[in-house]
């Protein structure tokens, strides 16, 4: 009886609307124009293709390639299927099938993206039809491998805000109350002579001379000496960041480094030991001795306590994300979803990063003790830990502007190797340097925003937009590995900042539930029970997964806020008319201004 | 029986109460016939904890020297620990709690003793009567009638006295159909879809047996709901093999030859001990305090709880789809028609009918599709996740239904008039309550116990405006559409509000909720003021003219 005609409830949902998705990225997009184009974006080629949509089957359409994006518009479907993909998200382009391949739609291109999806286009199997499109795509998707500039350098967009002005290291340190009698600003790295992966401006203990710093640099991997990231306004305990000490197999010691750490410990007048958090698993730290690295031994640093935080390295994280992609794209693993998710270990890694950051924050805040954070080079796990701890401790970083400053400071200026980790414009998709460290950080921030719905000024769309432009190469923000390289390439002069886009339309990225609150430390629950997979990001390409954009709760609340403003405006208007009437007719009645003040004090 | 006989130590001092996420509190413990009361008079945080004995699912005792410890596990899943000095006191208290929490006579339960402290505005026992429901139906169709065939519960002991059946079928035929259905639960109307006039009926399995018995009246009854030339769907909540096996015991399913206009679809929904074990495993995983949480997701999966949610929702969506999209009538049944059948029919109505997403509409749904329809609450909710006794009749059928509603609510956060707290409140009261609403297994038992005369209805309490306020969803915007939930595993989540309720700090989520309630309240005030000023202005204008 279970015949083919019996209705079946779609295992996912009945959201059959369409797979039409447009990047909501402020693109100029006029109805009569063929494809959206940014100022500075130029058309390169176009071609009839069949888009092998993994959700709705083959879609006939025309694909347009510009120096910025791949844009596909279907020709027969209703509603129209549209793909709008910045070329920067492309990780790998492969030819599938050959001239003699049999089977329908077996000849074409297979594109792997960095943002959790793959694209597949089938072409006609005649006269090398894919050759030119393959070459054009390869050229513009991987400009670095073809001696071309990123699109960011051609982008001529205009914004009302200038995002490059958001972060000024001097004003950020001043906001923290620095310099003070115990901490000073040093310009020793002004021309990146001390450390080429650090910013030019650094905050160090007052009692350490620039000469001391040079000696310490010799003992720290890639000269990344311990410098201040954040100071607690009350306890004066600090978060310091650095790279591993160069202990090596022979267990080398360095008096200057030992003394320097002691100066840091003494700087907030504490008697207890300095806490060192080594982000790595213990065994990895030991293994690093073989390559000249290591960790602070008890004998050499009697005034320090060392804890390992068991966070794995970039390779482990890359593999974990790859496994996650396998179970969510194109088809979501249904039968053993939870155990499959568990076997990717993605959430477990998130948990370890968050747990580590909580420990750092708690030590500084409740423990009133300064901490030193490092991993091997101090630009991946270290950045995750310091920035998350700062987010937990300092409510400024939970505002839109503050978060931009945090990213700009702890990630961009302190040399998280965005170029290597993301592989901007680089065709070597299998490069072992690539790793989703920054994505993992944003995921941690999202987990926190879920647990504290009123604590963050920004919404989910803000985080997703940051991740989209982490890959897009439309802005200069995440390009290159270090401040010194960015300076050399004149990034701030020749490209636009992502924060220009965001700050020009802040309402779109604002969390309506945000309630400004100062100086409350937020400790998320990092138990696996309270962590969730970020479905709206990792599974967003799947049209069958219910995701309502914008979030209906947020939208409804915004409407309510707008209603409030409307009422207030109408009240004012009525009161003005009433008042004039009253003064005209000089009738004595309840004073509307009294009413008004009552209303206003409420919020 | 006097409760005093069961209470040897009515009071103990210097008792320490431990709860997760709270500091330990010292205070006095008192036992009464129905409550365990702990009160602390400390100046900085005086507090009282009142726990119904009937809420206690299991109790354990331990001794270290003369300090006794009692661990109380409740049906609402909370666990508390009491340290009681003195071995004798502790033993006495433990045995009293054990006895008082397992009273076997319904009439000794708290609802028979409870005297409300609030003014009764509306008698909840009379809030949702079948006649009112039928009146609503009569305004849109005249194809149905109210039958009083079961007035004395003589035809079907688990049905209410009046039921809605097709007009063309007389009581004589109904009597014959009742003989042909398990427990005499003949097909009755569950839902009428105004949009296209299609209906959902529910019943129990037909008693076809091994030799394929048939009943012409049964066929006639359900065919009466079909439009000429149209097909209907029978959704059997058992797998085909289970349905086939049922024939050996006299049960069975509708044979195609005798029901040619109907297509049968089997959608397996688990029952009884499988569900109970699932709940036990789930709660075990949620309460696991060990630090190694790496296996959490596997444990969650292994409990199968979310799989049951998915199965139930899928079947309900299917029923709704047949009615709304295929334009066909549907008959739903499993074996007895008192468990999975009701999950499917009630959830399908939430999907299809906006009225069921309002507070009153949902209450009416619970009354119609669960209480009057004869879901045996007394048996199913006798014990919860901490029960050791393997009694056959316990199963979290109603909790699964509420969880499914929560899943839909989460996916459509603005389409429901009620909030999560409302669902949690219903869960609590189904298991332990001062109200009589969920006592008894069916209307027959309730009428014998004279519950409407002797106990207070839950609805009398809930529907007062000061209580309702707690259960209103500030974001509600009436949505007249059918809402199709996603049942993909990524869309289904653990209901933290119930299962991690006692294991999580919820302060921050509550804050966001507060914020929304405030803004709505504020908007109402503003609107009132705008209106007042308008009136004032209008008055002045008329004054001017004079």
């Amino acid at each position: 009886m279970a015949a083919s005609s019996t209705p079946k409830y779609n295992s996912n949902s009945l959201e059959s609307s369409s797979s039409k998705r447009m990047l909501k990225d402020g693109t100029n997009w006029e109805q009569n124009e063929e494809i959206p184009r940014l100022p500075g974006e130029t058309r390169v080629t176009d071609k009839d293709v069949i888009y092998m949509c993994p959700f709705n089957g083959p879609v006939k359409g025309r694909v347009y390639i510009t120096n910025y994006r791949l844009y596909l518009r279907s020709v027969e479907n209703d509603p129209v299927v549209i793909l709008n993909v910045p070329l920067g998200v492309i990780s790998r382009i492969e030819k599938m099938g050959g001239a003699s391949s049999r089977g329908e739609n077996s000849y074409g291109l297979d594109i792997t993206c960095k943002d959790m999806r793959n694209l597949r286009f089938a072409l006609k199997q005649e006269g090398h039809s894919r050759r030119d499109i393959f070459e054009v795509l390869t050229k513009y998707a991987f400009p670095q491998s073809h001696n071309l500039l990123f699109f960011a350098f051609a982008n001529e967009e205009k914004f009302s805000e200038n995002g490059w002005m958001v972060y000024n290291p001097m004003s950020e340190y001043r906001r923290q109350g620095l310099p003070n009698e115990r901490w000073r600003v040093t310009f020793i790295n002004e021309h990146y002579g001390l450390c080429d992966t650090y910013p030019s401006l650094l905050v160090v203990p007052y009692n350490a001379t620039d000469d001391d710093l040079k000696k310490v640099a010799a003992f720290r991997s890639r000269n990344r000496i311990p410098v201040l990231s954040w100071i607690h306004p009350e306890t004066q305990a600090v978060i310091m960041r650095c790279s591993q000490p160069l202990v090596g197999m022979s267990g080398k010691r360095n008096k200057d480094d030992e003394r320097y750490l002691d100066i840091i410990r003494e700087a907030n007048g504490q008697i207890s030991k300095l806490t060192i958090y080594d982000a790595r698993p213990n065994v990895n730290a030991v293994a690093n001795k073989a390559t000249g690295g290591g960790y602070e031994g008890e004998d050499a640093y009697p005034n320090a306590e060392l804890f390992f935080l068991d966070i794995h390295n970039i390779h482990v994280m890359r593999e974990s994300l790859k496994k996650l992609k396998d179970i969510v794209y194109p088809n979501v693993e249904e039968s053993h979803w939870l155990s499959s998710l568990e076997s990717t270990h993605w959430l477990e890694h998130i948990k370890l990063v968050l747990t580590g950051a909580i420990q750092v924050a708690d030590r500084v805040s409740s423990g009133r003790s300064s901490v030193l954070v490092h991993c091997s080079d101090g630009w991946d796990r270290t950045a995750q830990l310091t920035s998350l701890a700062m987010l937990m401790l300092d409510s400024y970083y939970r505002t839109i502007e503050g978060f931009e400053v945090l990213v700009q400071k702890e990630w961009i200026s302190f040399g998280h190797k965005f170029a290597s980790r993301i592989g901007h414009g680089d065709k070597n998709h299998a490069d072992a340097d690539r790793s989703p460290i920054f994505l993992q950080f944003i995921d941690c921030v999202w987990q926190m925003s879920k647990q504290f719905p009123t604590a963050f000024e920004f919404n989910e769309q803000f985080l997703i937009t940051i991740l989209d432009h982490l890959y897009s190469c439309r802005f200069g923000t995440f390009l290159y590995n270090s401040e010194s390289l960015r300076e050399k390439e004149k990034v701030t002069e020749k490209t636009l900042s992502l924060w220009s886009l965001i700050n020009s339309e802040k309402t779109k990225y604002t969390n309506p539930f945000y309630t400004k609150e100062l100086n409350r430390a937020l400790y998320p629950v990092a138990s696996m029970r309270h962590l969730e997979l970020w479905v709206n990001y990792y599974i967003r390409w799947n049209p069958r997964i219910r995701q309502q954009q914008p979030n209906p709760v947020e939208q409804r609340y915004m409407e309510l806020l707008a209603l409030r403003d409307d009422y207030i405006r109408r009240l004012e208007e009525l009161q003005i008319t009433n008042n004039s009437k009253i003064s005209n007719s000089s009738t004595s009645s309840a004073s509307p201004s009294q009413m008004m003040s009552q209303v206003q004090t409420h919020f | 029986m006097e409760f005093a006989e069961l209470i040897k130590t009515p009071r103990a001092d210097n008792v320490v109460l431990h709860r997760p996420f709270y500091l330990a509190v010292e205070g006095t413990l008192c036992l009464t016939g129905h409550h365990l009361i702990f009160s602390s008079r400390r100046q900085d945080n005086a507090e009282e904890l009142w726990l119904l004995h009937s809420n206690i699912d299991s109790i354990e005792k331990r001794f270290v020297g003369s300090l006794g410890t009692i661990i109380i596990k409740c049906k609402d899943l909370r666990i508390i620990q009491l340290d009681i000095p003195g071995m004798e006191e502790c033993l006495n208290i433990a045995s009293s709690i054990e006895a008082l929490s397992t009273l076997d006579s319904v009439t000794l339960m708290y609802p028979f003793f409870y005297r409300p402290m609030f003014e009764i505005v509306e008698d909840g026992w009379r809030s949702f009567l079948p006649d009112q429901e039928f009146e609503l139906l009569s305004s849109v169709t005249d194809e149905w009638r109210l039958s009083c065939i079961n007035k004395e519960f003589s035809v079907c002991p688990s049905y209410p006295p009046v039921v809605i059946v097709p007009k063309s079928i007389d009581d004589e035929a109904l009597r014959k159909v009742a003989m042909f259905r398990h427990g005499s639960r003949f097909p009755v109307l569950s839902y009428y879809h105004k949009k296209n006039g299609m209906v959902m009926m529910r019943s129990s399995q037909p008693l076809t047996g091994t030799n394929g018995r048939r009943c012409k009246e049964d066929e006639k009854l359900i065919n009466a709901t079909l439009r000429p030339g149209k097909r209907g769907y029978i959704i059997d909540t058992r797998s085909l093999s289970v349905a086939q096996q049922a024939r050996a015991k006299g049960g069975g399913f509708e044979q195609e030859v005798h029901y040619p206009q109907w297509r049968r679809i089997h959608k397996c929904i688990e029952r009884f001990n499988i569900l109970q074990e699932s709940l036990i495993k789930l709660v075990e995983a949620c309460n696991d305090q060990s630090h190694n949480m790496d296996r959490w997701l596997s444990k969650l999966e292994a409990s199968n709880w979310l799989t049951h949610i998915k199965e139930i929702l899928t079947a309900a969506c299917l029923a709704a789809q047949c009615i709304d999209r295929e334009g066909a009538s549907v008959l739903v049944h499993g074996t007895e028609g008192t468990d999975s059948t009701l999950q499917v029919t009630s959830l399908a109505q939430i999907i299809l009918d906006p009225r069921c997403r309002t507070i009153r509409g949902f209450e009416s749904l619970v009354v119609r599709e669960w209480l009057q329809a004869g879901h045996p609450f007394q048996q199913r909710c006798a014990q919860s996740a901490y029960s050791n006794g393997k009694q056959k009749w316990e199963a979290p059928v109603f909790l699964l239904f509420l969880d499914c509603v929560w899943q839909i609510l989460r996916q459509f956060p603005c389409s429901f008039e009620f909030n999560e707290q409302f669902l949690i409140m219903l869960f609590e009261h189904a298991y332990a309550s001062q109200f009589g609403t969920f006592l008894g297994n069916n209307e027959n038992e309730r009428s014998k116990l004279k519950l409407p005369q002797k106990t207070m209805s839950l609805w009398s309490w809930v529907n007062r405006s000061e209580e309702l306020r707690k259960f209103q969803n500030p974001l509600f915007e009436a949505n007249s559409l059918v809402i199709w939930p996603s049942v993909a595993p990524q869309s289904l989540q653990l209901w933290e509000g119930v299962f991690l309720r006692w294991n999580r700090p919820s302060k921050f989520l509550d804050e966001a909720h507060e914020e929304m309630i405030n803004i709505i309240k504020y908007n109402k005030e503003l609107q009132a003021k705008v209106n007042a000023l308008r009136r004032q202005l209008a008055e002045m204008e008329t004054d001017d003219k004079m």
Side-chain angles (χ1 to χ4, degrees), chain A residues 190-204:
Chain A
E190 193 172 0
H191 302 291
Y192 309 104
L194 178 76
C195 171
D196 60 356
T197 58
Y198 262 7
S200 58
L201 197 146
L202 301 169
V203 174
V204 293

Side-chain angles (χ1 to χ4, degrees), chain A residues 1 9 11-12 332 334 336-339 342 520 529 532 546 548 556 560 564 567 571 578 589 599, chain B residues 264 285-286 288 294-295 297-298 301 411 475 484-488 490 493 523 526-527 533 536-537:
Chain A
M1 216 195 242
Y9 190 66
S11 71
N12 286 302
V332 175
E334 291 242 345
H336 294 283
W337 165 245
L338 293 172
S339 50
E342 184 173 85
R520 180 166 71 165
R529 287 192 193 100
E532 270 176 58
R546 172 170 298 287
Q548 300 172 15
R556 179 86 179 96
L560 290 171
R564 177 192 66 186
Y567 280 140
L571 259 184
N578 262 8
S589 61
V599 169
Chain B
R264 207 178 63 249
C286 291
D288 185 357
D294 304 343
R295 307 286 293 156
L297 290 174
S298 298
E301 180 176 284
Q411 292 183 26
L475 298 176
W484 299 106
S486 161
V487 296
Q490 298 72 37
Q493 284 197 349
N523 278 357
L526 282 174
Q527 188 168 25
L533 280 171
Q536 202 183 346
L537 195 66

Side-chain angles (χ1 to χ4, degrees), chain A residues 37-87:
Chain A
R37 244 190 302 165
L38 297 169
E41 184 178 355
T42 51
R43 278 261 294 271
V44 182
T45 186
D46 54 65
K47 196 165 202 78
D48 283 332
V49 297
I50 293 164
Y51 165 48
M52 308 297 287
C53 174
F55 312 110
N56 299 332
V59 174
K60 266 193 192 171
R62 192 159 186 84
V63 68
Y64 303 84
I65 315 264
T66 72
N67 54 348
Y68 172 64
R69 80 182 89 209
L70 176 158
Y71 187 88
L72 174 122
R73 170 187 274 272
S74 67
V75 289
E76 284 166 2
N77 299 53
D78 184 43
V80 181
V81 175
I82 282 172
L83 265 185
N84 187 355
V85 187
L87 298 178

Side-chain angles (χ1 to χ4, degrees), chain A residues 131-405:
Chain A
R131 186 192 283 161
D132 54 334
I133 186 167
F134 176 79
E135 278 168 10
V136 165
L137 268 178
T138 309
K139 184 171 156 191
Y140 289 98
F142 310 125
Q144 287 286 287
S145 308
H146 292 85
N147 287 319
L148 290 171
L149 285 171
F150 292 112
F151 173 74
F153 289 90
N155 188 359
E156 293 167 9
E157 284 175 274
K158 297 273 181 286
F159 295 104
S160 55
E161 298 285 327
N162 182 358
W164 293 124
M165 306 297 282
V166 166
Y167 178 59
N168 175 312
M170 203 58 223
S171 21
E172 163 58 14
Y173 288 120
R174 277 209 198 98
R175 188 191 65 84
Q176 294 188 26
L178 298 168
N180 61 19
E181 67 278 17
R182 295 175 190 275
W183 298 93
R184 67 185 180 95
V185 171
T186 171
F187 296 94
I188 185 176
N189 203 35
E190 193 172 0
H191 302 291
Y192 309 104
L194 178 76
C195 171
D196 60 356
T197 58
Y198 262 7
S200 58
L201 197 146
L202 301 169
V203 174
V204 293
Y206 193 83
N207 291 336
T209 65
D210 280 2
D211 237 27
D212 294 337
L213 300 180
K214 279 181 198 151
K215 288 181 195 150
V216 173
F219 190 62
R220 289 280 164 178
S221 175
R222 296 174 200 269
N223 300 340
R224 294 171 68 94
I225 59 166
V227 295
L228 181 143
S229 273
W230 189 76
I231 183 162
H232 194 287
E234 282 139 38
T235 69
Q236 295 291 304
V238 297
I239 298 177
M240 307 285 294
R241 61 181 293 172
C242 62
S243 61
Q244 64 183 342
L246 299 174
V247 174
M249 290 298 268
S250 57
K252 267 189 304 210
R253 292 180 55 165
N254 180 306
K255 285 280 166 218
D256 298 294
D257 193 76
E258 291 163 20
R259 200 170 68 86
Y260 184 66
L261 261 52
D262 227 31
I263 294 173
I264 292 170
R265 180 180 67 87
E266 284 161 358
N268 74 332
Q270 76 191 61
I271 310 132
S272 60
K273 293 184 172 184
L274 174 74
T275 311
I276 302 175
Y277 286 108
D278 188 325
R280 302 166 292 185
N282 194 344
V283 280
N284 296 33
V286 173
N288 258 286
K289 287 187 175 178
T291 50
Y295 53 89
E296 293 81 357
E298 239 177 284
D299 298 342
Y301 301 86
N303 289 329
E305 265 182 303
L306 178 76
F307 300 99
F308 294 100
L309 294 177
D310 290 322
I311 302 169
H312 287 278
N313 64 25
I314 57 166
H315 311 293
V316 175
M317 303 309 180
R318 182 178 58 237
E319 291 313 307
S320 174
L321 184 67
K322 199 189 244 168
K323 282 189 198 151
L324 180 62
K325 184 172 175 179
D326 286 344
I327 65 161
V328 301
Y329 194 92
N331 296 310
V332 175
E333 172 66 44
E334 291 242 345
S335 52
H336 294 283
W337 165 245
L338 293 172
S339 50
S340 308
L341 178 60
E342 184 173 85
S343 67
T344 69
H345 298 290
W346 183 256
L347 288 175
E348 207 182 311
H349 295 313
I350 298 281
K351 182 193 84 175
L352 284 170
V353 173
L354 274 173
T355 310
I358 291 168
Q359 288 183 60
V360 172
D362 187 54
R363 196 81 191 153
V364 173
S365 180
S366 324
R368 313 174 79 83
S369 159
S370 289
V371 301
L372 178 68
V373 183
H374 71 73
C375 45
S376 299
D377 289 315
W379 50 41
D380 294 308
R381 288 166 276 197
T382 300
Q384 290 178 331
L385 291 169
T386 56
S387 55
L388 286 169
M390 287 156 75
L391 198 62
M392 289 170 196
L393 293 171
D394 191 338
S395 59
Y396 169 68
Y397 298 125
R398 298 176 214 139
T399 63
I400 289 180
E401 190 199 285
F403 190 77
E404 292 167 355
V405 166

Side-chain angles (χ1 to χ4, degrees), chain A residues 560-572 574-575 595-596 598-600 602-603, chain B residues 519-533:
Chain A
L560 290 171
L561 291 179
L563 198 63
R564 177 192 66 186
D565 295 342
D566 186 46
Y567 280 140
I568 291 178
R569 189 183 48 75
R570 273 158 53 191
L571 259 184
E572 273 169 11
L574 282 168
Q575 273 159 355
M595 267 181 165
M596 190 60 198
Q598 260 181 329
V599 169
Q600 274 170 338
H602 200 286
F603 268 67
Chain B
I519 200 91
I520 282 167
K521 211 173 108 197
Y522 181 60
N523 278 357
K524 275 192 187 141
E525 282 170 26
L526 282 174
Q527 188 168 25
K529 283 179 177 142
V530 167
N531 293 344
L533 280 171

Side-chain angles (χ1 to χ4, degrees), chain B residues 283-410:
Chain B
V283 171
E284 250 171 35
C286 291
N287 288 335
D288 185 357
Q289 297 299 332
S290 63
H291 283 291
N292 183 10
M293 285 296 301
D294 304 343
R295 307 286 293 156
W296 158 247
L297 290 174
S298 298
K299 283 182 186 161
L300 181 57
E301 180 176 284
S303 78
N304 272 326
W305 184 262
L306 290 171
T307 311
H308 301 314
I309 297 282
K310 184 188 160 84
E311 282 165 357
I312 296 165
L313 272 175
T314 308
C317 289
L318 181 73
Q321 194 184 6
C322 290
I323 293 169
D324 188 67
R325 300 233 165 150
E326 305 273 326
S329 285
V330 171
L331 169 67
V332 184
H333 71 72
T335 304
E336 293 91 351
T338 53
D339 294 283
S340 55
T341 303
L342 306 182
Q343 289 172 328
V344 173
T345 58
S346 54
L347 286 166
Q349 292 180 56
I350 285 171
I351 293 166
L352 294 170
D353 187 0
R355 188 169 68 110
C356 295
R357 298 174 221 141
T358 64
I359 291 182
R360 243 191 137 73
F362 190 77
E363 290 172 354
S364 157
L365 182 77
V366 169
V367 172
R368 271 183 289 127
E369 292 299 295
W370 291 88
L371 292 162
Q372 291 172 354
H375 174 66
F377 277 98
Q378 183 102 19
Q379 289 179 344
R380 298 290 180 263
C381 301
Q383 297 254 263
S384 158
Y386 303 118
S387 60
N388 315 314
K390 294 247 167 177
Q391 271 183 300
K392 203 181 153 195
W393 302 114
E394 285 131 19
V397 178
F398 188 62
L399 175 57
L400 275 162
F401 159 70
L402 294 175
D403 195 334
C404 289
V405 177
W406 177 79
Q407 304 283 350
I408 307 177
L409 169 65
R410 210 182 62 82

